[in-house]
Amino acid sequence: MMITIPQLLSAAEVRHFRDRLAQAEWTDGRATAGHLASQVKNNLQLPEDSPASRELGDLVLQALGRHPLFLSGALPLKVLPPRFNRYEGGGTYGPHVDAAVFSVPGTPHRVRSDLSATLFLSEPDEYEGGELTVSDTYGEHSVKLPAGDMVLYPGSSLHHVTPVTRGARLASFFWVQSLVRDDAQRALMLELDGAIQQLAVDAPGHPSLGRLTGVYHNLLRQWSET
């Protein structure tokens, strides 16, 4: 299941991110890739321990915590500190599947990559190419969103970024360990939550609201891993 999160960042926040990233020193993105991934990865990345990366990563985490669609769609248990990349001059990332588990730098903690996330920081008309293309059982899906919007997709998906032939594509990317590991179960939880929210608007006080909310929490109780 792919979920588009609109306006995770406001226009003012995007401008702040762009200003900070314009002053940042970028390094070869292959330095953080595994042996196989490094053979298909050609981009720039902000060092994870740089002041800009830590500051902007914290702002992304704050934005995630206040966005209801992210909370209901991801059911997050852990979020890996966000990272930042830049594609330009033909930069690309060939077909790959993300690592199953990531270590949190400077800690003994690990995050299972149930969900992968890309937060776009460049407007679509600022660059050519750069589509995030995700393959699943229904085919390939290309994503190129406005700055400030984010897409979530299963970490198990085969995906790639097409070559950027004009301009520069800036983005933040990270991984989420969900309370509910299974993608199909998370999709059901999101659908049920959306139905409950709509019923609360259309028929406030309806007796079914309490029953459906109980079903939601009992399913979460049954499926969640903590």
Side-chain angles (χ1 to χ4, degrees):
M1 176 180 63
M2 296 184 66
I3 305 173
T4 298
I5 311 289
Q7 298 179 336
L8 181 75
L9 299 179
S10 68
E13 289 171 325
V14 169
R15 285 194 297 272
H16 174 69
F17 274 61
R18 295 287 297 269
D19 289 344
R20 292 289 281 125
L21 294 176
Q23 303 168 22
E25 294 187 6
W26 299 86
T27 58
D28 191 334
R30 288 173 292 187
T32 61
H35 173 68
L36 292 177
S38 65
Q39 299 177 39
V40 297
K41 186 177 185 180
N42 177 21
N43 66 5
L44 298 175
Q45 198 161 310
L46 205 61
E48 296 171 31
D49 58 353
S50 71
S53 184
R54 291 197 297 268
E55 175 202 334
L56 299 180
D58 286 344
L59 292 176
V60 172
L61 293 175
Q62 292 173 27
L64 294 174
R66 63 175 183 258
H67 202 292
L69 181 54
F70 170 75
L71 297 174
S72 60
L75 296 173
L77 175 62
K78 301 177 185 177
V79 179
L80 195 75
R83 305 174 183 182
F84 299 86
N85 58 22
R86 179 186 182 100
Y87 291 83
E88 60 186 351
T92 184
Y93 200 159
H96 65 285
V97 174
D98 292 333
V101 178
F102 290 87
S103 296
V104 180
T107 78
H109 304 298
R110 296 183 177 184
V111 174
R112 188 182 64 236
S113 58
D114 297 326
L115 291 158
S116 299
T118 297
L119 169 60
F120 290 81
L121 297 172
S122 298
E123 296 294 352
D125 61 1
E126 292 184 282
Y127 59 100
E128 295 289 343
E131 290 86 0
L132 170 67
T133 303
V134 181
S135 301
D136 61 20
T137 55
Y138 301 101
E140 287 192 343
H141 310 274
S142 292
V143 184
K144 190 173 183 179
L145 300 177
D149 287 10
M150 186 179 81
V151 63
L152 284 171
Y153 57 98
S156 57
S157 302
L158 181 69
H159 58 282
H160 66 274
V161 177
T162 63
V164 173
T165 57
R166 177 185 64 82
R169 174 194 190 269
L170 297 169
S172 175
F173 64 102
F174 55 93
W175 295 272
V176 179
Q177 180 172 334
S178 178
L179 285 165
V180 177
R181 182 196 298 240
D182 185 80
D183 183 58
Q185 291 175 342
R186 282 198 310 275
L188 288 173
M189 296 296 292
L190 179 60
E191 184 72 18
L192 179 56
D193 184 54
I196 292 170
Q197 298 300 325
Q198 190 61 52
L199 182 60
V201 172
D202 295 341
H206 195 285
S208 293
L209 279 169
R211 296 172 62 188
L212 288 172
T213 301
V215 170
Y216 178 91
H217 286 287
N218 285 331
L219 285 175
L220 184 58
R221 186 177 291 110
Q222 179 177 336
W223 290 340
S224 65
E225 302 176 6
T226 59

